[in-house]
Amino acid sequence: MAEDSIQPLIEFETPRLRLRQWKESDLAPFAALAADPLVMEFLLPVPTRAASDALAARIRARIAEQGWGLWAVEHKASGEFAGFTGLNVPLAALPFSPCVEIGWRFARQWWGQGLATEAARAALQVGFERLGFDEIVAFTALGNHRSAAVMERLGMREDVDGAFDHPAVPEGHALRRHRLYRIARPKQG
C-alpha cells in the first residue's frame, strides 16, 4: 500500500469511554468476549482464539488504512477494554450496499450502563461531522431486541421494507433474517 493513501488516525473520547486503535493487550479480553455465548447469541461465534485474534488484526488494519473503523472501546475510569464500537463498510454484498454501518459489541460486564449507546452516539457524530457520510445504517438479527433498542435510542429508524436475509449467514439458520435501521446526517441550520 502506498504510504500517501494512509489516512490520519481518528480517536476520540466520550465522558466515560476512549475509542481508539486496538492494542495487543485487547486481544485476550476480546477473545473472552467472543467466547461468551450470551454476547454472541445473535452473532455467528468466533470459535477459536486464533480466529478472534485474526478478526482483531483485520479491524486494526482497516483503521490504520482509512483512519476509522471498529474502534476498541476502553473504559476510562478502569482502563479496561470493554469491547468495540464504530463504523464499517460491510464486506458482504447486502441489498442496500454500498453503505456504512455502525456496530458494537461489549463484554457482558459492561451491559446495562448505557455504554453502547454512548459510544455509538459519538461514532455517529464522527461519521457525519468528520467523515461526511450522508447516511449510516445498522442491522441485526430479528430477535436481537437489545441491539435494536440501542439503534432506536440513537434515533435510528427501522426500514420496515428493508428486512433481508444476511448473505453471510447460512440458509435455514435462525439468525439469517435481519432488520435494517437507518439514520441520515442531521440537517444544518
Side-chain angles (χ1 to χ4, degrees):
M1 167 179 300
E3 206 166 13
D4 61 354
S5 67
I6 296 176
Q7 299 298 311
L9 184 66
I10 295 172
E11 296 181 315
F12 53 99
E13 295 185 4
T14 70
R16 298 180 292 170
L17 306 169
R18 183 172 293 111
L19 283 80
R20 57 165 172 75
Q21 176 60 293
W22 291 62
K23 301 176 187 175
E24 290 301 312
S25 60
D26 299 330
L27 298 180
F30 181 57
L33 173 159
D36 183 329
L38 260 179
V39 171
M40 301 302 289
E41 180 180 9
F42 297 101
L43 302 165
L44 295 180
V46 179
T48 65
R49 172 66 190 259
S52 173
D53 289 354
L55 175 58
R58 287 191 304 274
I59 292 170
R60 187 176 187 174
R62 284 184 98 177
I63 294 172
E65 178 182 324
Q66 61 193 16
W68 56 273
L70 297 170
W71 293 280
V73 175
E74 178 182 311
H75 185 255
K76 285 172 26 178
S78 68
E80 291 181 60
F81 172 87
F84 70 74
T85 300
L87 306 168
N88 181 54
V89 175
L91 297 176
L94 302 172
F96 43 89
S97 291
C99 64
V100 173
E101 69 166 315
I102 187 165
W104 50 84
R105 193 176 307 168
F106 281 80
R108 198 169 356 144
Q109 75 188 72
W110 303 106
W111 290 9
Q113 301 172 46
L115 298 179
T117 302
E118 181 177 324
R121 189 169 282 125
L124 283 175
Q125 184 175 2
V126 167
F128 290 134
E129 294 178 11
R130 292 178 70 175
L131 299 172
F133 298 131
D134 291 325
E135 179 184 67
I136 298 174
V137 302
F139 46 88
T140 188
L142 286 182
N144 189 349
H145 302 296
R146 288 186 303 265
S147 280
V150 172
M151 294 168 194
E152 290 170 8
R153 281 194 294 276
L154 293 171
M156 301 185 90
R157 297 290 168 243
E158 184 171 5
D159 180 342
V160 293
D161 297 324
F164 67 101
D165 291 334
H166 199 296
V169 179
E171 280 193 46
H173 195 287
L175 299 179
R176 186 164 169 93
R177 195 73 178 157
H178 275 58
R179 303 164 73 169
L180 172 64
Y181 284 76
R182 299 176 182 272
I183 190 168
R185 179 184 357 199
K187 304 272 188 245
Q188 298 298 325

